[in-house]
PDB file of all heavy atoms in Angstrom:
ATOM      1  N   ARG A   1      13.459  -6.531  -9.777  1.00  0.00           N
ATOM      2  CA  ARG A   1      12.183  -5.985  -9.344  1.00  0.00           C
ATOM      3  C   ARG A   1      11.994  -6.557  -7.888  1.00  0.00           C
ATOM      4  O   ARG A   1      12.116  -7.680  -7.597  1.00  0.00           O
ATOM      5  CB  ARG A   1      11.026  -6.412 -10.226  1.00  0.00           C
ATOM      6  CG  ARG A   1       9.713  -5.696  -9.978  1.00  0.00           C
ATOM      7  CD  ARG A   1       8.700  -5.914 -11.088  1.00  0.00           C
ATOM      8  NE  ARG A   1       9.213  -5.470 -12.405  1.00  0.00           N
ATOM      9  CZ  ARG A   1       8.449  -5.475 -13.518  1.00  0.00           C
ATOM     10  NH1 ARG A   1       7.227  -5.861 -13.488  1.00  0.00           N
ATOM     11  NH2 ARG A   1       8.970  -5.096 -14.642  1.00  0.00           N
ATOM     12  N   GLU A   2      11.524  -5.594  -6.973  1.00  0.00           N
ATOM     13  CA  GLU A   2      11.433  -5.921  -5.573  1.00  0.00           C
ATOM     14  C   GLU A   2      10.078  -5.518  -5.157  1.00  0.00           C
ATOM     15  O   GLU A   2       9.505  -4.423  -5.577  1.00  0.00           O
ATOM     16  CB  GLU A   2      12.588  -5.341  -4.720  1.00  0.00           C
ATOM     17  CG  GLU A   2      12.539  -3.795  -4.716  1.00  0.00           C
ATOM     18  CD  GLU A   2      13.602  -3.149  -3.873  1.00  0.00           C
ATOM     19  OE1 GLU A   2      14.453  -3.977  -3.277  1.00  0.00           O
ATOM     20  OE2 GLU A   2      13.674  -2.003  -3.621  1.00  0.00           O
ATOM     21  N   PHE A   3       9.562  -6.171  -4.136  1.00  0.00           N
ATOM     22  CA  PHE A   3       8.316  -5.939  -3.448  1.00  0.00           C
ATOM     23  C   PHE A   3       8.401  -4.608  -2.555  1.00  0.00           C
ATOM     24  O   PHE A   3       9.365  -4.373  -1.913  1.00  0.00           O
ATOM     25  CB  PHE A   3       7.829  -7.013  -2.648  1.00  0.00           C
ATOM     26  CG  PHE A   3       6.756  -6.787  -1.727  1.00  0.00           C
ATOM     27  CD1 PHE A   3       5.385  -6.870  -2.260  1.00  0.00           C
ATOM     28  CD2 PHE A   3       6.813  -6.531  -0.383  1.00  0.00           C
ATOM     29  CE1 PHE A   3       4.323  -6.532  -1.465  1.00  0.00           C
ATOM     30  CE2 PHE A   3       5.743  -6.321   0.433  1.00  0.00           C
ATOM     31  CZ  PHE A   3       4.510  -6.320  -0.156  1.00  0.00           C
ATOM     32  N   VAL A   4       7.466  -3.777  -2.694  1.00  0.00           N
ATOM     33  CA  VAL A   4       7.393  -2.575  -1.970  1.00  0.00           C
ATOM     34  C   VAL A   4       6.240  -2.574  -0.863  1.00  0.00           C
ATOM     35  O   VAL A   4       6.570  -2.475   0.358  1.00  0.00           O
ATOM     36  CB  VAL A   4       7.210  -1.292  -2.780  1.00  0.00           C
ATOM     37  CG1 VAL A   4       7.197  -0.005  -1.989  1.00  0.00           C
ATOM     38  CG2 VAL A   4       8.265  -1.177  -3.781  1.00  0.00           C
ATOM     39  N   VAL A   5       5.059  -2.868  -1.316  1.00  0.00           N
ATOM     40  CA  VAL A   5       3.901  -2.830  -0.456  1.00  0.00           C
ATOM     41  C   VAL A   5       2.784  -3.579  -1.090  1.00  0.00           C
ATOM     42  O   VAL A   5       2.567  -3.579  -2.297  1.00  0.00           O
ATOM     43  CB  VAL A   5       3.549  -1.364  -0.009  1.00  0.00           C
ATOM     44  CG1 VAL A   5       3.121  -0.670  -1.339  1.00  0.00           C
ATOM     45  CG2 VAL A   5       2.449  -1.324   1.010  1.00  0.00           C
ATOM     46  N   GLY A   6       1.893  -4.184  -0.241  1.00  0.00           N
ATOM     47  CA  GLY A   6       0.805  -4.847  -0.702  1.00  0.00           C
ATOM     48  C   GLY A   6      -0.368  -4.557   0.196  1.00  0.00           C
ATOM     49  O   GLY A   6      -0.237  -4.216   1.396  1.00  0.00           O
ATOM     50  N   ILE A   7      -1.644  -4.734  -0.317  1.00  0.00           N
ATOM     51  CA  ILE A   7      -2.812  -4.509   0.421  1.00  0.00           C
ATOM     52  C   ILE A   7      -3.815  -5.565   0.043  1.00  0.00           C
ATOM     53  O   ILE A   7      -3.957  -5.897  -1.253  1.00  0.00           O
ATOM     54  CB  ILE A   7      -3.457  -3.083   0.236  1.00  0.00           C
ATOM     55  CG1 ILE A   7      -4.467  -2.884   1.194  1.00  0.00           C
ATOM     56  CG2 ILE A   7      -3.788  -2.854  -1.211  1.00  0.00           C
ATOM     57  CD1 ILE A   7      -4.999  -1.448   1.187  1.00  0.00           C
ATOM     58  N   SER A   8      -4.421  -6.210   1.082  1.00  0.00           N
ATOM     59  CA  SER A   8      -5.338  -7.303   0.800  1.00  0.00           C
ATOM     60  C   SER A   8      -6.748  -6.754   0.016  1.00  0.00           C
ATOM     61  O   SER A   8      -6.861  -5.507  -0.104  1.00  0.00           O
ATOM     62  CB  SER A   8      -5.781  -8.028   1.998  1.00  0.00           C
ATOM     63  OG  SER A   8      -6.517  -7.124   2.799  1.00  0.00           O
ATOM     64  N   TRP A   9      -7.365  -7.699  -0.501  1.00  0.00           N
ATOM     65  CA  TRP A   9      -8.604  -7.324  -1.277  1.00  0.00           C
ATOM     66  C   TRP A   9      -9.575  -6.404  -0.483  1.00  0.00           C
ATOM     67  O   TRP A   9     -10.256  -5.530  -1.056  1.00  0.00           O
ATOM     68  CB  TRP A   9      -9.273  -8.590  -1.706  1.00  0.00           C
ATOM     69  CG  TRP A   9     -10.017  -9.331  -0.675  1.00  0.00           C
ATOM     70  CD1 TRP A   9      -9.406 -10.408   0.065  1.00  0.00           C
ATOM     71  CD2 TRP A   9     -11.265  -9.269  -0.121  1.00  0.00           C
ATOM     72  NE1 TRP A   9     -10.280 -10.935   1.066  1.00  0.00           N
ATOM     73  CE2 TRP A   9     -11.368 -10.247   0.850  1.00  0.00           C
ATOM     74  CE3 TRP A   9     -12.293  -8.284  -0.474  1.00  0.00           C
ATOM     75  CZ2 TRP A   9     -12.612 -10.290   1.691  1.00  0.00           C
ATOM     76  CZ3 TRP A   9     -13.499  -8.444   0.278  1.00  0.00           C
ATOM     77  CH2 TRP A   9     -13.687  -9.407   1.371  1.00  0.00           C
ATOM     78  N   SER A  10      -9.549  -6.728   0.872  1.00  0.00           N
ATOM     79  CA  SER A  10     -10.527  -5.929   1.608  1.00  0.00           C
ATOM     80  C   SER A  10      -9.982  -4.605   2.180  1.00  0.00           C
ATOM     81  O   SER A  10     -10.700  -3.640   2.658  1.00  0.00           O
ATOM     82  CB  SER A  10     -10.940  -6.711   2.853  1.00  0.00           C
ATOM     83  OG  SER A  10      -9.794  -6.905   3.756  1.00  0.00           O
ATOM     84  N   GLY A  11      -8.636  -4.495   2.028  1.00  0.00           N
ATOM     85  CA  GLY A  11      -7.969  -3.329   2.542  1.00  0.00           C
ATOM     86  C   GLY A  11      -7.641  -3.387   3.993  1.00  0.00           C
ATOM     87  O   GLY A  11      -7.052  -2.499   4.595  1.00  0.00           O
ATOM     88  N   ARG A  12      -8.030  -4.509   4.626  1.00  0.00           N
ATOM     89  CA  ARG A  12      -7.819  -4.674   6.036  1.00  0.00           C
ATOM     90  C   ARG A  12      -6.323  -4.921   6.406  1.00  0.00           C
ATOM     91  O   ARG A  12      -5.892  -4.542   7.509  1.00  0.00           O
ATOM     92  CB  ARG A  12      -8.634  -5.901   6.439  1.00  0.00           C
ATOM     93  CG  ARG A  12      -8.618  -6.174   8.018  1.00  0.00           C
ATOM     94  CD  ARG A  12      -9.521  -7.266   8.410  1.00  0.00           C
ATOM     95  NE  ARG A  12      -9.486  -7.586   9.811  1.00  0.00           N
ATOM     96  CZ  ARG A  12     -10.159  -8.587  10.316  1.00  0.00           C
ATOM     97  NH1 ARG A  12     -11.018  -9.334   9.589  1.00  0.00           N
ATOM     98  NH2 ARG A  12     -10.068  -8.820  11.713  1.00  0.00           N
ATOM     99  N   PHE A  13      -5.576  -5.664   5.510  1.00  0.00           N
ATOM    100  CA  PHE A  13      -4.274  -6.034   5.848  1.00  0.00           C
ATOM    101  C   PHE A  13      -3.267  -5.461   4.824  1.00  0.00           C
ATOM    102  O   PHE A  13      -3.594  -5.306   3.639  1.00  0.00           O
ATOM    103  CB  PHE A  13      -4.030  -7.585   5.786  1.00  0.00           C
ATOM    104  CG  PHE A  13      -5.008  -8.263   6.702  1.00  0.00           C
ATOM    105  CD1 PHE A  13      -6.076  -8.872   6.171  1.00  0.00           C
ATOM    106  CD2 PHE A  13      -4.699  -8.474   7.992  1.00  0.00           C
ATOM    107  CE1 PHE A  13      -6.977  -9.598   7.140  1.00  0.00           C
ATOM    108  CE2 PHE A  13      -5.477  -9.064   8.927  1.00  0.00           C
ATOM    109  CZ  PHE A  13      -6.666  -9.638   8.355  1.00  0.00           C
ATOM    110  N   THR A  14      -2.211  -4.917   5.386  1.00  0.00           N
ATOM    111  CA  THR A  14      -1.192  -4.395   4.508  1.00  0.00           C
ATOM    112  C   THR A  14       0.133  -4.912   4.882  1.00  0.00           C
ATOM    113  O   THR A  14       0.368  -5.451   5.998  1.00  0.00           O
ATOM    114  CB  THR A  14      -1.046  -2.877   4.588  1.00  0.00           C
ATOM    115  OG1 THR A  14      -0.866  -2.431   6.026  1.00  0.00           O
ATOM    116  CG2 THR A  14      -2.373  -2.271   4.169  1.00  0.00           C
ATOM    117  N   SER A  15       1.199  -5.011   3.941  1.00  0.00           N
ATOM    118  CA  SER A  15       2.437  -5.344   4.147  1.00  0.00           C
ATOM    119  C   SER A  15       3.456  -4.450   3.437  1.00  0.00           C
ATOM    120  O   SER A  15       3.318  -4.206   2.282  1.00  0.00           O
ATOM    121  CB  SER A  15       2.639  -6.850   3.761  1.00  0.00           C
ATOM    122  OG  SER A  15       3.987  -7.284   3.921  1.00  0.00           O
ATOM    123  N   TYR A  16       4.507  -4.015   4.140  1.00  0.00           N
ATOM    124  CA  TYR A  16       5.529  -3.074   3.719  1.00  0.00           C
ATOM    125  C   TYR A  16       6.812  -3.750   3.711  1.00  0.00           C
ATOM    126  O   TYR A  16       7.213  -4.376   4.762  1.00  0.00           O
ATOM    127  CB  TYR A  16       5.504  -1.816   4.517  1.00  0.00           C
ATOM    128  CG  TYR A  16       4.224  -0.995   4.393  1.00  0.00           C
ATOM    129  CD1 TYR A  16       3.175  -1.268   5.190  1.00  0.00           C
ATOM    130  CD2 TYR A  16       4.105  -0.048   3.528  1.00  0.00           C
ATOM    131  CE1 TYR A  16       1.956  -0.574   5.176  1.00  0.00           C
ATOM    132  CE2 TYR A  16       2.956   0.771   3.336  1.00  0.00           C
ATOM    133  CZ  TYR A  16       1.875   0.419   4.237  1.00  0.00           C
ATOM    134  OH  TYR A  16       0.637   1.224   4.110  1.00  0.00           O
ATOM    135  N   ALA A  17       7.612  -3.430   2.722  1.00  0.00           N
ATOM    136  CA  ALA A  17       9.084  -3.763   2.834  1.00  0.00           C
ATOM    137  C   ALA A  17       9.709  -2.848   3.871  1.00  0.00           C
ATOM    138  O   ALA A  17       9.206  -1.790   4.199  1.00  0.00           O
ATOM    139  CB  ALA A  17       9.752  -3.473   1.434  1.00  0.00           C
ATOM    140  N   ASP A  18      10.661  -3.440   4.538  1.00  0.00           N
ATOM    141  CA  ASP A  18      11.285  -2.786   5.621  1.00  0.00           C
ATOM    142  C   ASP A  18      11.853  -1.334   5.183  1.00  0.00           C
ATOM    143  O   ASP A  18      11.796  -0.436   6.065  1.00  0.00           O
ATOM    144  CB  ASP A  18      12.442  -3.611   6.244  1.00  0.00           C
ATOM    145  CG  ASP A  18      11.954  -4.872   7.042  1.00  0.00           C
ATOM    146  OD1 ASP A  18      10.653  -4.792   7.458  1.00  0.00           O
ATOM    147  OD2 ASP A  18      12.700  -5.693   7.293  1.00  0.00           O
ATOM    148  N   SER A  19      12.333  -1.286   4.019  1.00  0.00           N
ATOM    149  CA  SER A  19      12.919  -0.073   3.527  1.00  0.00           C
ATOM    150  C   SER A  19      11.955   1.102   3.387  1.00  0.00           C
ATOM    151  O   SER A  19      12.390   2.163   3.353  1.00  0.00           O
ATOM    152  CB  SER A  19      13.569  -0.348   2.213  1.00  0.00           C
ATOM    153  OG  SER A  19      12.733  -0.699   1.197  1.00  0.00           O
ATOM    154  N   VAL A  20      10.638   0.964   3.392  1.00  0.00           N
ATOM    155  CA  VAL A  20       9.713   1.899   3.300  1.00  0.00           C
ATOM    156  C   VAL A  20       8.727   2.048   4.410  1.00  0.00           C
ATOM    157  O   VAL A  20       7.904   3.000   4.431  1.00  0.00           O
ATOM    158  CB  VAL A  20       8.958   1.750   1.944  1.00  0.00           C
ATOM    159  CG1 VAL A  20       9.748   1.615   0.735  1.00  0.00           C
ATOM    160  CG2 VAL A  20       7.944   0.560   2.053  1.00  0.00           C
ATOM    161  N   LYS A  21       8.886   1.287   5.394  1.00  0.00           N
ATOM    162  CA  LYS A  21       8.003   1.364   6.631  1.00  0.00           C
ATOM    163  C   LYS A  21       8.160   2.674   7.283  1.00  0.00           C
ATOM    164  O   LYS A  21       9.258   3.241   7.456  1.00  0.00           O
ATOM    165  CB  LYS A  21       8.284   0.286   7.657  1.00  0.00           C
ATOM    166  CG  LYS A  21       7.872  -1.136   7.220  1.00  0.00           C
ATOM    167  CD  LYS A  21       8.188  -2.108   8.236  1.00  0.00           C
ATOM    168  CE  LYS A  21       7.759  -3.517   7.819  1.00  0.00           C
ATOM    169  NZ  LYS A  21       8.110  -4.638   8.866  1.00  0.00           N
ATOM    170  N   GLY A  22       6.980   3.363   7.515  1.00  0.00           N
ATOM    171  CA  GLY A  22       7.039   4.650   8.188  1.00  0.00           C
ATOM    172  C   GLY A  22       7.064   5.768   7.222  1.00  0.00           C
ATOM    173  O   GLY A  22       6.883   6.871   7.657  1.00  0.00           O
ATOM    174  N   ARG A  23       7.315   5.450   6.002  1.00  0.00           N
ATOM    175  CA  ARG A  23       7.395   6.592   4.966  1.00  0.00           C
ATOM    176  C   ARG A  23       6.232   6.412   3.895  1.00  0.00           C
ATOM    177  O   ARG A  23       5.810   7.366   3.335  1.00  0.00           O
ATOM    178  CB  ARG A  23       8.754   6.511   4.304  1.00  0.00           C
ATOM    179  CG  ARG A  23       9.926   6.847   5.212  1.00  0.00           C
ATOM    180  CD  ARG A  23      11.290   6.926   4.614  1.00  0.00           C
ATOM    181  NE  ARG A  23      11.540   5.752   3.744  1.00  0.00           N
ATOM    182  CZ  ARG A  23      11.702   5.777   2.384  1.00  0.00           C
ATOM    183  NH1 ARG A  23      11.526   6.845   1.767  1.00  0.00           N
ATOM    184  NH2 ARG A  23      12.098   4.678   1.703  1.00  0.00           N
ATOM    185  N   PHE A  24       6.024   5.180   3.470  1.00  0.00           N
ATOM    186  CA  PHE A  24       5.014   4.919   2.459  1.00  0.00           C
ATOM    187  C   PHE A  24       3.738   4.401   3.023  1.00  0.00           C
ATOM    188  O   PHE A  24       3.754   3.646   4.114  1.00  0.00           O
ATOM    189  CB  PHE A  24       5.483   3.867   1.478  1.00  0.00           C
ATOM    190  CG  PHE A  24       6.590   4.229   0.639  1.00  0.00           C
ATOM    191  CD1 PHE A  24       7.361   5.507   0.779  1.00  0.00           C
ATOM    192  CD2 PHE A  24       7.095   3.490  -0.491  1.00  0.00           C
ATOM    193  CE1 PHE A  24       8.449   5.896   0.069  1.00  0.00           C
ATOM    194  CE2 PHE A  24       8.100   3.875  -1.302  1.00  0.00           C
ATOM    195  CZ  PHE A  24       8.776   5.054  -1.126  1.00  0.00           C
ATOM    196  N   THR A  25       2.646   4.698   2.489  1.00  0.00           N
ATOM    197  CA  THR A  25       1.324   4.209   2.922  1.00  0.00           C
ATOM    198  C   THR A  25       0.471   3.869   1.691  1.00  0.00           C
ATOM    199  O   THR A  25       0.282   4.591   0.761  1.00  0.00           O
ATOM    200  CB  THR A  25       0.592   5.375   3.718  1.00  0.00           C
ATOM    201  OG1 THR A  25       1.269   5.818   4.855  1.00  0.00           O
ATOM    202  CG2 THR A  25      -0.822   4.722   4.114  1.00  0.00           C
ATOM    203  N   ILE A  26      -0.079   2.599   1.664  1.00  0.00           N
ATOM    204  CA  ILE A  26      -0.850   2.140   0.609  1.00  0.00           C
ATOM    205  C   ILE A  26      -2.357   2.314   1.080  1.00  0.00           C
ATOM    206  O   ILE A  26      -2.638   2.062   2.307  1.00  0.00           O
ATOM    207  CB  ILE A  26      -0.557   0.706   0.209  1.00  0.00           C
ATOM    208  CG1 ILE A  26      -1.251   0.284  -1.113  1.00  0.00           C
ATOM    209  CG2 ILE A  26      -0.817  -0.266   1.337  1.00  0.00           C
ATOM    210  CD1 ILE A  26      -0.721  -0.944  -1.815  1.00  0.00           C
ATOM    211  N   SER A  27      -3.153   2.529   0.139  1.00  0.00           N
ATOM    212  CA  SER A  27      -4.619   2.453   0.438  1.00  0.00           C
ATOM    213  C   SER A  27      -5.353   2.128  -0.846  1.00  0.00           C
ATOM    214  O   SER A  27      -4.736   2.206  -1.942  1.00  0.00           O
ATOM    215  CB  SER A  27      -5.154   3.910   0.908  1.00  0.00           C
ATOM    216  OG  SER A  27      -4.861   4.859  -0.050  1.00  0.00           O
ATOM    217  N   ARG A  28      -6.630   1.779  -0.647  1.00  0.00           N
ATOM    218  CA  ARG A  28      -7.399   1.477  -1.932  1.00  0.00           C
ATOM    219  C   ARG A  28      -8.785   1.906  -1.739  1.00  0.00           C
ATOM    220  O   ARG A  28      -9.333   1.959  -0.577  1.00  0.00           O
ATOM    221  CB  ARG A  28      -7.328   0.007  -2.287  1.00  0.00           C
ATOM    222  CG  ARG A  28      -7.981  -1.002  -1.139  1.00  0.00           C
ATOM    223  CD  ARG A  28      -7.713  -2.489  -1.443  1.00  0.00           C
ATOM    224  NE  ARG A  28      -8.293  -2.878  -2.747  1.00  0.00           N
ATOM    225  CZ  ARG A  28      -7.883  -4.030  -3.380  1.00  0.00           C
ATOM    226  NH1 ARG A  28      -7.034  -4.857  -2.827  1.00  0.00           N
ATOM    227  NH2 ARG A  28      -8.423  -4.262  -4.610  1.00  0.00           N
ATOM    228  N   ASP A  29      -9.433   2.206  -2.862  1.00  0.00           N
ATOM    229  CA  ASP A  29     -10.793   2.542  -2.871  1.00  0.00           C
ATOM    230  C   ASP A  29     -11.450   1.717  -3.963  1.00  0.00           C
ATOM    231  O   ASP A  29     -11.343   1.913  -5.081  1.00  0.00           O
ATOM    232  CB  ASP A  29     -10.907   4.127  -3.243  1.00  0.00           C
ATOM    233  CG  ASP A  29     -12.387   4.512  -3.186  1.00  0.00           C
ATOM    234  OD1 ASP A  29     -13.311   3.777  -3.257  1.00  0.00           O
ATOM    235  OD2 ASP A  29     -12.626   5.749  -2.982  1.00  0.00           O
ATOM    236  N   ASN A  30     -12.104   0.650  -3.403  1.00  0.00           N
ATOM    237  CA  ASN A  30     -12.588  -0.352  -4.344  1.00  0.00           C
ATOM    238  C   ASN A  30     -13.793   0.240  -5.227  1.00  0.00           C
ATOM    239  O   ASN A  30     -14.013  -0.186  -6.356  1.00  0.00           O
ATOM    240  CB  ASN A  30     -13.157  -1.593  -3.552  1.00  0.00           C
ATOM    241  CG  ASN A  30     -11.948  -2.469  -3.095  1.00  0.00           C
ATOM    242  OD1 ASN A  30     -10.734  -2.220  -3.475  1.00  0.00           O
ATOM    243  ND2 ASN A  30     -12.228  -3.380  -2.221  1.00  0.00           N
ATOM    244  N   ALA A  31     -14.502   1.164  -4.645  1.00  0.00           N
ATOM    245  CA  ALA A  31     -15.601   1.773  -5.344  1.00  0.00           C
ATOM    246  C   ALA A  31     -15.039   2.578  -6.613  1.00  0.00           C
ATOM    247  O   ALA A  31     -15.715   2.720  -7.565  1.00  0.00           O
ATOM    248  CB  ALA A  31     -16.333   2.733  -4.413  1.00  0.00           C
ATOM    249  N   LYS A  32     -13.838   3.130  -6.483  1.00  0.00           N
ATOM    250  CA  LYS A  32     -13.143   3.829  -7.572  1.00  0.00           C
ATOM    251  C   LYS A  32     -12.222   2.945  -8.430  1.00  0.00           C
ATOM    252  O   LYS A  32     -11.560   3.473  -9.337  1.00  0.00           O
ATOM    253  CB  LYS A  32     -12.427   5.077  -7.126  1.00  0.00           C
ATOM    254  CG  LYS A  32     -13.404   6.055  -6.397  1.00  0.00           C
ATOM    255  CD  LYS A  32     -12.693   7.337  -5.925  1.00  0.00           C
ATOM    256  CE  LYS A  32     -13.601   8.368  -5.409  1.00  0.00           C
ATOM    257  NZ  LYS A  32     -12.958   9.525  -4.862  1.00  0.00           N
ATOM    258  N   ASN A  33     -12.079   1.712  -7.997  1.00  0.00           N
ATOM    259  CA  ASN A  33     -11.105   0.757  -8.743  1.00  0.00           C
ATOM    260  C   ASN A  33      -9.754   1.349  -8.703  1.00  0.00           C
ATOM    261  O   ASN A  33      -9.044   1.279  -9.782  1.00  0.00           O
ATOM    262  CB  ASN A  33     -11.732   0.438 -10.116  1.00  0.00           C
ATOM    263  CG  ASN A  33     -12.901  -0.357 -10.116  1.00  0.00           C
ATOM    264  OD1 ASN A  33     -13.249  -1.117  -9.181  1.00  0.00           O
ATOM    265  ND2 ASN A  33     -13.560  -0.238 -11.209  1.00  0.00           N
ATOM    266  N   THR A  34      -9.296   1.873  -7.653  1.00  0.00           N
ATOM    267  CA  THR A  34      -8.072   2.577  -7.579  1.00  0.00           C
ATOM    268  C   THR A  34      -7.301   2.217  -6.368  1.00  0.00           C
ATOM    269  O   THR A  34      -7.882   2.087  -5.227  1.00  0.00           O
ATOM    270  CB  THR A  34      -8.239   4.117  -7.677  1.00  0.00           C
ATOM    271  OG1 THR A  34      -8.975   4.435  -8.855  1.00  0.00           O
ATOM    272  CG2 THR A  34      -6.866   4.868  -7.691  1.00  0.00           C
ATOM    273  N   VAL A  35      -5.964   2.052  -6.452  1.00  0.00           N
ATOM    274  CA  VAL A  35      -5.079   1.887  -5.242  1.00  0.00           C
ATOM    275  C   VAL A  35      -4.075   3.127  -5.374  1.00  0.00           C
ATOM    276  O   VAL A  35      -3.685   3.556  -6.445  1.00  0.00           O
ATOM    277  CB  VAL A  35      -4.390   0.554  -5.363  1.00  0.00           C
ATOM    278  CG1 VAL A  35      -3.475   0.474  -6.614  1.00  0.00           C
ATOM    279  CG2 VAL A  35      -3.636   0.326  -4.115  1.00  0.00           C
ATOM    280  N   TYR A  36      -3.653   3.528  -4.184  1.00  0.00           N
ATOM    281  CA  TYR A  36      -2.777   4.652  -4.044  1.00  0.00           C
ATOM    282  C   TYR A  36      -1.550   4.300  -3.179  1.00  0.00           C
ATOM    283  O   TYR A  36      -1.622   3.380  -2.359  1.00  0.00           O
ATOM    284  CB  TYR A  36      -3.519   5.805  -3.306  1.00  0.00           C
ATOM    285  CG  TYR A  36      -4.807   6.187  -3.953  1.00  0.00           C
ATOM    286  CD1 TYR A  36      -6.008   5.703  -3.419  1.00  0.00           C
ATOM    287  CD2 TYR A  36      -4.891   7.108  -5.017  1.00  0.00           C
ATOM    288  CE1 TYR A  36      -7.216   6.060  -4.068  1.00  0.00           C
ATOM    289  CE2 TYR A  36      -6.002   7.542  -5.483  1.00  0.00           C
ATOM    290  CZ  TYR A  36      -7.275   7.039  -5.097  1.00  0.00           C
ATOM    291  OH  TYR A  36      -8.431   7.323  -5.570  1.00  0.00           O
ATOM    292  N   LEU A  37      -0.525   4.953  -3.514  1.00  0.00           N
ATOM    293  CA  LEU A  37       0.732   4.835  -2.793  1.00  0.00           C
ATOM    294  C   LEU A  37       1.184   6.296  -2.420  1.00  0.00           C
ATOM    295  O   LEU A  37       1.666   7.028  -3.264  1.00  0.00           O
ATOM    296  CB  LEU A  37       1.755   4.010  -3.570  1.00  0.00           C
ATOM    297  CG  LEU A  37       3.188   3.921  -2.818  1.00  0.00           C
ATOM    298  CD1 LEU A  37       2.872   3.090  -1.485  1.00  0.00           C
ATOM    299  CD2 LEU A  37       4.201   3.279  -3.587  1.00  0.00           C
ATOM    300  N   GLN A  38       1.032   6.632  -1.225  1.00  0.00           N
ATOM    301  CA  GLN A  38       1.506   7.958  -0.703  1.00  0.00           C
ATOM    302  C   GLN A  38       3.042   7.579  -0.282  1.00  0.00           C
ATOM    303  O   GLN A  38       3.272   6.881   0.687  1.00  0.00           O
ATOM    304  CB  GLN A  38       0.678   8.349   0.493  1.00  0.00           C
ATOM    305  CG  GLN A  38       1.163   9.709   1.111  1.00  0.00           C
ATOM    306  CD  GLN A  38       1.030  10.929   0.133  1.00  0.00           C
ATOM    307  OE1 GLN A  38       0.015  11.011  -0.638  1.00  0.00           O
ATOM    308  NE2 GLN A  38       2.055  11.666   0.029  1.00  0.00           N
ATOM    309  N   MET A  39       3.877   8.381  -0.837  1.00  0.00           N
ATOM    310  CA  MET A  39       5.310   8.221  -0.459  1.00  0.00           C
ATOM    311  C   MET A  39       5.807   9.557   0.141  1.00  0.00           C
ATOM    312  O   MET A  39       5.864  10.652  -0.582  1.00  0.00           O
ATOM    313  CB  MET A  39       6.080   8.014  -1.726  1.00  0.00           C
ATOM    314  CG  MET A  39       5.587   6.723  -2.544  1.00  0.00           C
ATOM    315  SD  MET A  39       6.614   6.176  -3.922  1.00  0.00           S
ATOM    316  CE  MET A  39       6.329   7.581  -5.009  1.00  0.00           C
ATOM    317  N   ASN A  40       6.260   9.563   1.334  1.00  0.00           N
ATOM    318  CA  ASN A  40       6.805  10.706   2.015  1.00  0.00           C
ATOM    319  C   ASN A  40       8.302  10.460   2.363  1.00  0.00           C
ATOM    320  O   ASN A  40       8.662   9.344   2.441  1.00  0.00           O
ATOM    321  CB  ASN A  40       6.004  10.907   3.383  1.00  0.00           C
ATOM    322  CG  ASN A  40       4.493  11.220   3.051  1.00  0.00           C
ATOM    323  OD1 ASN A  40       4.190  11.901   2.098  1.00  0.00           O
ATOM    324  ND2 ASN A  40       3.633  10.783   4.017  1.00  0.00           N
ATOM    325  N   ASN A  41       8.895  11.599   2.694  1.00  0.00           N
ATOM    326  CA  ASN A  41      10.294  11.543   2.987  1.00  0.00           C
ATOM    327  C   ASN A  41      11.137  10.732   1.952  1.00  0.00           C
ATOM    328  O   ASN A  41      11.907   9.787   2.491  1.00  0.00           O
ATOM    329  CB  ASN A  41      10.466  11.070   4.395  1.00  0.00           C
ATOM    330  CG  ASN A  41      11.935  11.200   4.980  1.00  0.00           C
ATOM    331  OD1 ASN A  41      12.612  12.174   4.574  1.00  0.00           O
ATOM    332  ND2 ASN A  41      12.349  10.335   5.949  1.00  0.00           N
TER     333      ASN A  41
END
């Protein structure tokens, strides 16, 4: 199992594995208790 992407509790900071940079985007909506991973290309 390998790390892909993380996002801080505030959503202010993100970290991506090199293999997905520029293709994947993480976001979160704390009001909806939901985190998303948009995966392109």
Side-chain angles (χ1 to χ4, degrees):
R1 191 169 299 187
E2 65 177 6
F3 172 77
V4 178
V5 60
I7 186 167
S8 67
W9 67 270
S10 66
R12 181 177 179 183
F13 302 100
T14 58
S15 181
Y16 294 85
D18 289 342
S19 60
V20 304
K21 287 181 179 177
R23 300 188 299 118
F24 290 11
T25 303
I26 191 170
S27 61
R28 68 189 296 165
D29 187 338
N30 288 347
K32 296 181 179 180
N33 293 333
T34 303
V35 63
Y36 306 95
L37 181 62
Q38 179 66 45
M39 304 185 294
N40 297 327
N41 192 24

